[in-house]
Amino acid sequence: MSKKMFFRTICLSLLLLIFLFLSSGCYDRREIDDMAYVMAVGFDKGKTNPLRMTLQIAVPKAIGAGGGGEGNGGRSDGGGGNSSEGGNKSVTITTVETPTIYSGINVVNNYISKQIHFSHAQAVVFSEELAREGIEKYIHALIRGKEFRGSMFVVVVKGSAEEYLRNVQPILEINPSKYYRMIYQAYRYTGFTANTILINFYLKTECFCSQAVATLASVSKFEDSQNITIEGSTYREKGKEYPLVGDYTAGNIPQTGNTNTEIMGLAVFDGARMVGELDGEETSYYLMVTGEYNYSYITVPDPIDENSFVVLNVKKRRNPTKKVQMVDGKPLAYVKVDLEGDILSIQSGLNYEDPDNVKILEEWVEKFFREGILRFLKKTAEEYGTDICSLGENMRIKFLTWNDWMEFKWLDRYKDTKFSVDVSFKIRRPGLILRSNPAVSTERSK
Amino acid sequence: MNIKKAIINLLIFQEPEKIENYILKETEEEQLQSNAKKDTNENVTKNKKNKRKSNNSENSDGNDREANKGVKISNDISKSLEYMKKVYSIPINGDVIIREFNVIIKDKAIEAFAIFIDGMIDKKVINEAILKPLMLLSTFDIKSNEKDIGNYIKDHLLPQTQLKVVRTYESVIDEVNFGGCGIFIDGIDLAFTADVKGWEHRSVERPNVELIIRGPQEGFTEVLRINTALIRKIIKNENLIVENITVGKKSKTPCGLLYIKDIANDALVNQVRKRLKSIKVDYIQDSGELEQYLEDNTFLNVPQIIDTERPDKVAMLLTEGKIAILMNGTPIALVMPSNLIELIKSPEDAYIRYPYANFLRIIRLLGMFFTLLLPGLYIAITNYHHEMIPTDLMLAIEASREKVPFPSIIELLILEVSFELIREAGIRVPGPIGPTLGIIGALILGQAAVAANIVSPILIIIVAVTGIGSFAVPSFSLGFGIRVSRFVFILLGAMAGFLGIATGLFINGLWLAAAKSFGIPFMVPFAPKVSKKNPDFILRKAIWRQEWRPDYLNVKRERNQPHISRGWVKK
């Protein structure tokens, strides 16, 4: 009996093994070192073909050997130093003109010795020109291919994607993939970009109640600190007298140095076509309204002393409350944002830590944010007419059937939306200084 | 002239000297059989079966024991003497000693002799307690009216704790073979056998394989009675039964079947006893052999009987309701029935506090997991599932593999096989250089292999973790099973990635779920699910919450301790 059972088990196992061989049998077995791993892929409008595809491919010799004892000569940690030459050894860049993405891959495989593999790509970069034309067909191709991860970041570059990728020269990292991962996730502590991964982007382009955004990136304008200007700042459009830290979009940040690339703000999409952009401050409000906001240092003017600033570490206290209703045939959206924060700096030296004065600061900040959020929401509705904050989700729940909702055409009506914004802000901690005192100086200095 | 002759002798052909070579010739029977086979070439299969049967019956040929069975002892001492001399092939047999002497009983001198095997007996006991009273002290005036010489000698002349009166030669021979002393007296048709065992043996030492930090440090020895005493020492209870069962037709190896009468399930005890008694083999030396005769499934990749050299572990399992077999000549006890979970337990789990014990259990499981699957998973991921590796690690692997000329499966097999080689060779290396070889093998070989670009450094880590993990398995036998199975998983991973490994695990799971150990499903309590009243499966609960004995053993007393075992806790 047991012998019979044993033979049956063996036969069954052999049979299964044979099936294994027949059905899969090593045919897709590929060694790691037979592959060339793309770290980022960029798309521009091509000259000869519809698409100009730029691939940034990791050079494992330079990345993997780093830290090893027997370095084979050219370790790439010099990458930061000679970045001005434009030749980072940890990656190699190739650009190809092609009608479609996959035919481009096929072409690249003819001159890159290893097979191109996208499973570790971290970013897909579109030029603004292409994005304004519409990137639906490319997004669909990326989503359909199983090698592309849904967690790739979708980035729109002001200017050329090829130029951007050539300028990405990580200084702190050897591995460019880590650079992308770190920089595109920095919104968690800067609030100046958002989580624009491919799968979210795709879902929002297909959604009837929400629209997509992409991280805005650019090559830095300024080569020398003497030439830095604030011409590109958005403060004038907002009626401010001077720019605050968030009043820039990528490319205009007044910075210079070895890092040539920067990200700030969001590209706003209508469907899969870019219609406008948000600067850093508006992006923070976008995060606050959607609830993705984590924390960041926010500078506001002093409520009393007009010439100085108060800096706060603002955090999300609770998820925002959003309500939408129809008033006179027009949508009315109500947004309540709950924030809290710590004081980081009070330049004027006024005692806002004092329990009596803290209200002044809190109300001032609430007003500041309320105005900002209102301005931001109005901009999305009146200027761009795209519901990037997913307010439609709060409208959709009011419908009984899908057909009713489809006929309602929320996205078309969004541009008429009126907004009412409520912000609640509480100061929790004054930091390590419990009471601001003026610096003690001698009589002479007066 | 002489030189010339020598040179010529060197060059010319010379017939080799005729040396008588020894060739072992087949016995006549075998020749006859082979002739018969040639004659009847048709229906060979039938013949084979017949041959087997006939062989079985022929096995008893020349077996003196069979012939000796039940031969009564003669009352003529010269006949007995002759018989014993013939049986023991005296004087060819050098260590069998026959001492002839006279016993004076009631002023009569009666011939007698003692037979024993030198080296297996305690000479002092024979001198003081057998020869002396029989030869000298029998002259004392003993106040007794006993007329029968046999009874008289037994009652008055042999001051022995274990003295048996036997009536057949066979039983005398059995006793003498096992370190006893046979005493024949003229004129009576019976003989005496005295237990005077006194051979050299190892004393109780620390266990060699199953080391633990906390807990008793005694291990079994090769002597059955010492081993049973070690268990009796722990379980001080009259319900602990030690049944004597002899295994091996010729070796007559004494075994002890141990169970606790009022806990162990009778049917289970009967089953073990039945299996043990049914074993027909000439010689059996070690419990490892016995295990192979007893286990349900010979081909399963995990052991179905717990083997341990720790008396405390055996005692613990006996109190759970399990059954143990101790065997003379081996320091490893067998405990049954077992299941998969039982094999990952160590006695230390009960001795240390329960959070620590659970931590150790998890580490152990992790070790098993690594040993079984890590190389396979590595192959599967690096060959099929590149997207699963963190980018940095993947680039590091790619860079380190850049100069390696082999596919990763070959690379891994080279390392795994050489590791197994080091392990196997390390056992046989003479003592003092053993550790050195280990270091040379592991360190230098690995380092050199990496430097020579034969393997990538990451693989060294994989193989090292695999090797270390296999030592974390408490059951040495299970560790073996896992070590062997991991090669299967390497091949499956190389063939079909995760699909292959999943298939392997599935088939192995089916195999285990179908297996039984002495009538108890091997995957109990998970498949089939049984009551988990005793919370000591993968993780154990606090010791005062382990109130029930394992449900699947169907023991006579299910409760281990009352609901409130810590008397000081007030309700």
Side-chain angles (χ1 to χ4, degrees):
Chain A
M1 153 77 184
S2 73
K3 203 168 185 183
K4 213 170 167 187
M5 283 285 288
F6 173 69
F7 280 116
R8 271 182 60 189
T9 321
I10 290 287
C11 289
L12 203 71
S13 327
L14 282 178
L15 209 66
L16 280 170
L17 278 183
I18 290 165
F19 283 150
L20 258 180
F21 263 122
L22 292 179
S23 60
S24 81
C26 314
Y27 92 96
D28 56 350
R29 188 178 71 87
R30 286 175 298 188
E31 295 281 353
I32 283 186
D33 52 331
D34 296 345
M35 305 308 237
Y37 291 95
V38 175
M39 298 286 111
V41 51
F43 298 109
D44 286 304
K45 254 176 89 80
K47 251 185 180 173
T48 56
N49 277 297
L51 200 60
R52 177 184 292 167
M53 185 164 79
T54 307
L55 301 180
Q56 190 184 36
I57 300 166
V59 181
K61 271 188 298 181
I63 298 170
E70 32 180 330
N72 32 5
R75 276 186 51 187
S76 69
D77 44 8
N82 56 15
S83 60
S84 52
E85 299 162 19
N88 192 333
K89 284 173 185 163
S90 65
V91 289
T92 176
I93 286 177
T94 177
T95 303
V96 64
E97 296 233 329
T98 167
T100 66
I101 297 176
Y102 291 96
S103 57
I105 297 168
N106 234 351
V107 174
V108 173
N109 274 328
N110 284 312
Y111 59 88
I112 299 279
S113 55
K114 296 183 172 182
Q115 191 183 350
I116 302 291
H117 206 259
F118 284 90
S119 65
H120 284 263
Q122 293 285 352
V124 49
V125 180
F126 294 97
S127 72
E128 188 179 345
E129 194 187 0
L130 200 64
R132 284 199 187 269
E133 256 180 30
I135 53 174
E136 187 182 345
K137 47 192 171 190
Y138 308 120
I139 293 290
H140 282 193
L142 293 177
I143 286 288
R144 207 182 285 273
K146 67 174 180 180
E147 273 183 21
F148 296 93
R149 292 186 173 208
S151 62
M152 288 162 85
F153 284 92
V154 180
V155 179
V156 169
V157 165
K158 295 212 248 166
S160 143
E162 182 191 349
E163 194 195 344
Y164 174 75
L165 288 181
R166 283 190 191 277
N167 275 288
V168 169
Q169 278 147 17
I171 289 167
L172 299 178
E173 300 91 357
I174 297 169
N175 181 355
S177 146
K178 186 165 186 186
Y179 167 81
Y180 292 123
R181 211 160 54 234
M182 299 306 294
I183 192 87
Y184 294 138
Q185 286 185 1
Y187 71 90
R188 286 176 300 162
Y189 46 88
T190 65
F192 286 156
T193 58
N195 187 15
T196 59
I197 57 174
L198 178 63
I199 185 71
N200 284 356
F201 187 91
Y202 166 69
L203 290 177
K204 283 189 174 180
T205 58
E206 303 265 290
C207 183
F208 291 99
C209 56
S210 174
Q211 277 166 315
V213 289
T215 302
L216 203 57
S218 175
V219 179
S220 177
K221 261 188 204 166
F222 310 110
E223 287 180 357
D224 193 339
S225 51
Q226 297 301 320
N227 303 335
I228 290 177
T229 61
I230 52 168
E231 284 307 306
S233 173
T234 51
Y235 70 98
R236 281 189 211 91
E237 298 162 22
K238 298 182 199 165
K240 291 184 186 172
E241 289 168 19
Y242 45 84
L244 285 171
V245 63
D247 292 335
Y248 299 95
T249 51
N252 298 318
I253 304 175
Q255 64 97 357
T256 179
N258 285 337
T259 311
N260 279 351
T261 50
E262 59 194 34
I263 57 163
M264 187 180 265
L266 293 175
V268 178
F269 281 77
D270 179 8
R273 200 169 50 78
M274 178 173 164
V275 290
E277 53 190 51
L278 301 176
D279 68 6
E281 189 195 8
E282 287 159 347
T283 306
S284 296
Y285 298 142
Y286 164 78
L287 294 175
M288 285 175 191
V289 173
T290 52
E292 288 169 52
Y293 184 77
N294 191 19
Y295 73 92
S296 70
Y297 301 157
I298 287 187
T299 310
V300 295
D302 194 291
I304 295 165
D305 182 358
E306 285 181 7
N307 293 324
S308 46
F309 297 109
V310 175
V311 186
L312 300 159
N313 183 10
V314 179
K315 304 166 191 171
K316 181 172 86 171
R317 186 172 73 205
R318 224 169 268 159
N319 280 333
T321 321
K322 289 179 268 183
K323 280 176 192 153
V324 185
Q325 59 192 53
M326 296 303 287
V327 177
D328 303 333
K330 283 180 182 174
L332 174 67
Y334 167 78
V335 177
K336 183 168 188 298
V337 178
D338 278 303
L339 300 167
E340 62 183 18
D342 306 338
I343 298 172
L344 291 173
S345 162
I346 303 170
Q347 288 185 335
S348 59
L350 294 168
N351 270 327
Y352 294 120
E353 307 94 332
D354 195 279
D356 302 328
N357 298 339
V358 77
K359 276 270 175 302
I360 303 173
L361 187 60
E362 283 175 357
E363 278 167 16
W364 173 254
V365 173
E366 280 173 6
K367 181 168 159 272
F368 182 85
F369 282 156
R370 192 162 53 241
E371 286 171 0
I373 292 173
L374 208 57
R375 197 171 57 235
F376 154 71
L377 287 173
K378 272 185 182 158
K379 189 177 180 183
T380 62
E382 288 161 17
E383 199 173 322
Y384 303 140
T386 63
D387 179 18
I388 53 174
C389 296
S390 310
L391 288 169
E393 281 177 11
N394 304 85
M395 192 68 214
R396 190 176 56 184
I397 53 174
K398 295 184 195 297
F399 288 85
L400 275 177
T401 66
W402 183 252
N403 288 343
D404 291 350
W405 166 241
M406 296 295 287
E407 278 166 25
F408 183 68
K409 292 198 188 331
W410 162 258
L411 292 180
D412 293 343
R413 290 176 187 236
Y414 179 70
K415 58 182 188 297
D416 302 327
T417 312
K418 296 275 175 270
F419 297 96
S420 123
V421 178
D422 201 356
V423 177
S424 146
F425 180 74
K426 287 275 178 296
I427 295 217
R428 297 294 182 200
R429 283 159 290 261
L432 295 184
I433 297 179
L434 292 179
R435 189 183 159 79
S436 306
N437 282 325
V440 181
S441 59
T442 54
E443 292 289 321
R444 259 176 303 163
S445 59
K446 281 193 175 175
Chain B
M1 190 57 190
N2 241 350
I3 298 169
K4 196 181 167 191
K5 213 175 185 179
I7 292 171
I8 287 169
N9 273 347
L10 266 180
L11 294 175
I12 61 169
F13 171 77
Q14 281 177 326
E15 205 175 316
E17 276 179 53
K18 280 198 173 168
I19 302 166
E20 198 184 327
N21 282 325
Y22 173 71
I23 295 164
L24 183 65
K25 282 191 179 139
E26 286 192 341
T27 58
E28 276 178 22
E29 278 165 32
E30 272 174 315
Q31 274 175 349
L32 276 176
Q33 270 174 15
S34 62
N35 284 342
K37 208 172 166 187
K38 271 175 204 163
D39 292 344
T40 55
N41 248 342
E42 70 269 11
N43 49 28
V44 181
T45 47
K46 213 176 176 182
N47 231 353
K48 264 185 187 168
K49 273 184 188 169
N50 285 343
K51 206 176 114 191
R52 257 191 131 165
K53 268 184 190 169
S54 65
N55 263 353
N56 276 345
S57 61
E58 277 163 23
N59 250 353
S60 57
D61 77 314
N63 194 340
D64 298 335
R65 290 297 183 77
E66 298 291 314
N68 287 341
K69 206 156 201 173
V71 175
K72 289 267 163 53
I73 292 168
S74 152
N75 56 5
D76 182 357
I77 195 160
S78 56
K79 273 187 187 164
S80 296
L81 188 62
E82 209 170 299
Y83 190 89
M84 292 313 278
K85 277 186 174 170
K86 194 184 131 218
V87 167
Y88 278 106
S89 314
I90 294 169
I92 298 169
N93 239 341
D95 59 347
V96 181
I97 290 171
I98 293 181
R99 171 74 165 85
E100 291 173 62
F101 56 94
N102 282 347
V103 192
I104 314 281
I105 297 170
K106 303 201 169 159
D107 303 331
K108 271 191 287 175
I110 303 171
E111 279 181 42
F113 72 88
I115 180 166
F116 51 88
I117 298 174
D118 196 16
M120 290 188 72
I121 45 88
D122 191 343
K123 282 180 185 163
K124 214 173 156 188
V125 176
I126 293 201
N127 288 343
E128 297 289 326
I130 294 175
L131 295 182
K132 218 177 189 179
L134 285 176
M135 290 165 77
L136 304 174
L137 305 179
S138 57
T139 52
F140 286 155
D141 180 28
I142 292 166
K143 294 176 180 63
S144 167
N145 297 326
E146 187 66 66
K147 297 221 172 110
D148 183 57
I149 301 176
N151 281 344
Y152 180 79
I153 291 174
K154 187 183 137 220
D155 292 347
H156 301 291
L157 289 181
L158 285 173
Q160 268 284 327
T161 53
Q162 290 187 43
L163 188 79
K164 277 189 219 159
V165 178
V166 294
R167 292 185 185 277
T168 59
Y169 287 117
E170 195 198 4
S171 25
V172 179
I173 291 165
D174 282 348
E175 284 292 322
V176 171
N177 286 348
F178 197 42
C181 175
I183 302 148
F184 291 84
I185 313 279
D186 193 18
I188 50 176
D189 59 351
L190 42 86
F192 305 99
T193 60
D195 182 29
V196 291
K197 291 187 191 82
W199 57 71
E200 293 301 320
H201 58 79
R202 200 162 61 101
S203 58
V204 177
E205 286 169 17
R206 295 176 72 124
N208 289 323
V209 182
E210 291 166 84
L211 295 171
I212 60 171
I213 309 257
R214 178 96 187 250
Q217 303 289 348
E218 281 177 344
F220 284 129
T221 70
E222 280 79 3
V223 185
L224 176 65
R225 280 293 162 248
I226 295 180
N227 293 350
T228 51
L230 284 174
I231 290 175
R232 287 258 184 217
K233 214 168 78 181
I234 301 168
I235 307 176
K236 298 174 254 317
N237 193 315
E238 67 282 2
N239 284 321
L240 172 65
I241 307 290
V242 180
E243 276 184 31
N244 285 335
I245 292 173
T246 316
V247 181
K249 259 180 171 175
K250 294 199 173 175
S251 67
K252 301 245 171 187
T253 313
C255 294
L257 177 70
L258 278 75
Y259 55 91
I260 298 179
K261 197 172 64 182
D262 58 348
I263 297 176
N265 187 322
D266 287 335
L268 197 59
V269 175
N270 289 341
Q271 173 67 17
V272 176
R273 193 188 292 122
K274 186 180 140 202
R275 285 196 195 183
L276 197 58
K277 280 186 171 168
S278 72
I279 292 167
K280 289 188 184 67
V281 62
D282 278 359
Y283 289 97
I284 192 160
Q285 270 92 31
D286 192 81
S287 58
E289 291 175 293
L290 190 62
E291 181 184 351
Q292 296 174 58
Y293 281 111
L294 287 178
E295 66 190 353
D296 293 57
N297 190 341
T298 321
F299 304 96
L300 197 67
N301 61 348
V302 290
Q304 298 134 67
I305 292 176
I306 306 167
D307 44 0
T308 175
E309 54 172 345
R310 302 191 60 86
D312 55 321
K313 185 171 180 182
V314 173
M316 194 185 282
L317 294 171
L318 284 176
T319 55
E320 260 181 23
K322 293 198 168 64
I323 296 155
I325 295 176
L326 291 168
M327 195 172 159
N328 196 51
T330 170
I332 308 282
L334 302 178
V335 186
M336 61 224 67
S338 163
N339 57 49
L340 197 58
I341 299 303
E342 214 54 69
L343 292 166
I344 64 160
K345 289 183 186 171
S346 157
E348 200 172 18
D349 294 350
Y351 303 149
I352 58 176
R353 299 188 54 237
Y354 102 96
Y356 316 158
N358 285 338
F359 171 72
L360 291 184
R361 286 256 176 101
I362 291 167
I363 294 288
R364 235 174 267 154
L365 278 175
L366 216 61
M368 280 171 64
F369 175 79
F370 281 150
T371 311
L372 187 64
L373 291 180
L374 192 63
L377 286 179
Y378 173 81
I379 286 293
I381 290 175
T382 54
N383 282 330
Y384 292 95
H385 315 284
H386 302 179
E387 65 281 354
M388 282 192 68
I389 324 170
T391 311
D392 289 289
L393 179 63
M394 191 210 57
L395 292 172
I397 294 175
E398 186 174 358
S400 67
R401 271 194 48 77
E402 205 63 60
K403 284 182 176 175
V404 177
F406 306 116
S408 47
I409 169 76
I410 301 291
E411 198 186 343
L412 182 68
L413 284 178
I414 288 175
L415 261 194
E416 288 284 4
V417 168
S418 50
F419 179 77
E420 290 295 324
L421 209 62
I422 292 170
R423 234 170 128 168
E424 184 60 15
I427 297 171
R428 274 167 246 307
V429 178
I433 51 171
T436 327
L437 184 97
I439 292 166
I440 292 173
L443 279 179
I444 308 198
L445 202 71
Q447 184 71 33
V450 171
N453 288 323
I454 291 173
V455 296
S456 59
I458 286 166
L459 259 188
I460 301 269
I461 301 173
I462 302 276
V463 173
V465 170
T466 309
I468 293 167
S470 70
F471 289 112
V473 187
S475 161
F476 188 71
S477 199
L478 180 65
F480 251 123
I482 292 175
R483 258 166 79 189
V484 175
S485 309
R486 83 171 189 272
F487 283 98
V488 178
F489 282 102
I490 290 173
L491 292 179
L492 287 172
M495 272 184 328
F498 280 175
L499 173 68
I501 288 180
T503 314
L505 284 175
F506 177 68
I507 291 174
N508 204 350
L510 283 182
W511 204 10
L512 288 179
K516 278 201 166 94
S517 166
F518 289 84
I520 285 168
F522 199 63
M523 292 291 270
V524 87
F526 302 110
K529 267 185 173 266
V530 299
S531 150
K532 291 182 183 174
K533 273 188 208 157
N534 177 19
D536 181 11
F537 294 123
I538 287 179
L539 297 181
R540 78 173 184 86
K541 281 191 184 167
I543 196 149
W544 46 267
R545 290 181 70 179
Q546 299 179 22
E547 290 167 8
W548 301 82
R549 298 203 160 84
D551 184 49
Y552 53 85
L553 286 172
N554 294 334
V555 288
K556 288 179 191 163
R557 290 166 62 182
E558 290 195 316
R559 252 189 194 277
N560 206 358
Q561 51 187 347
H563 182 55
I564 292 177
S565 47
R566 300 179 300 169
W568 53 271
V569 179
K570 286 206 174 133
K571 207 172 177 184

